[in-house]
Amino acid sequence: MIDARFAPPFEGQQFTSHQQWVNKASSWLTCHPEYRNTQHGETKGWRGHHFTAMCFDSLGRRCRNGADFKRAEDEGTFPIWWIWPDQIPELVARGQAVPA
């Protein structure tokens, strides 16, 4: 049986290896042009809208932590791609399903 694979829906929003994720995730997943990931940090006061990218492997499984990225490496399901919440309507409009 051949697994159906999801291609990264947005250019430039993918990790091609576990090592690339280790090296780049903290900067790439917090650099939305209009929002900042403000979930973490001790700074007082308003720090911008909270926005978190959602990551998926090529089988469409959600990748939330290091164990998920390690599983993708072990199972050969890179690239892992991400989508910002404000990109979901565009993806739906294209007729592509967003994995749950």
Side-chain angles (χ1 to χ4, degrees):
M1 181 172 106
I2 298 174
D3 295 319
R5 300 280 178 145
F6 288 90
F10 294 97
E11 188 174 333
Q13 290 182 206
Q14 67 179 347
F15 299 104
T16 57
S17 69
H18 185 265
Q19 189 60 50
Q20 187 181 49
W21 171 74
V22 168
N23 294 343
K24 300 293 186 176
S26 63
S27 62
W28 289 359
L29 296 179
T30 59
C31 66
H32 188 282
E34 296 178 32
Y35 302 91
R36 292 183 307 161
N37 183 340
T38 59
Q39 180 177 358
H40 306 289
E42 299 298 323
T43 304
K44 292 183 179 182
W46 188 77
R47 297 181 58 210
H49 297 287
H50 175 73
F51 233 55
T52 301
M54 295 173 284
C55 298
F56 299 90
D57 69 10
S58 64
L59 296 179
R61 297 178 296 192
R62 183 87 186 264
C63 295
R64 299 172 194 246
N65 56 43
D68 294 336
F69 283 82
K70 179 65 174 145
R71 178 191 66 202
E73 178 181 45
D74 293 344
E75 296 179 2
T77 57
F78 273 86
I80 290 180
W81 50 273
W82 71 85
I83 185 168
W84 297 105
D86 64 338
Q87 292 175 314
I88 293 171
E90 179 184 340
L91 192 61
V92 172
R94 288 192 223 164
Q96 297 182 10
V98 177

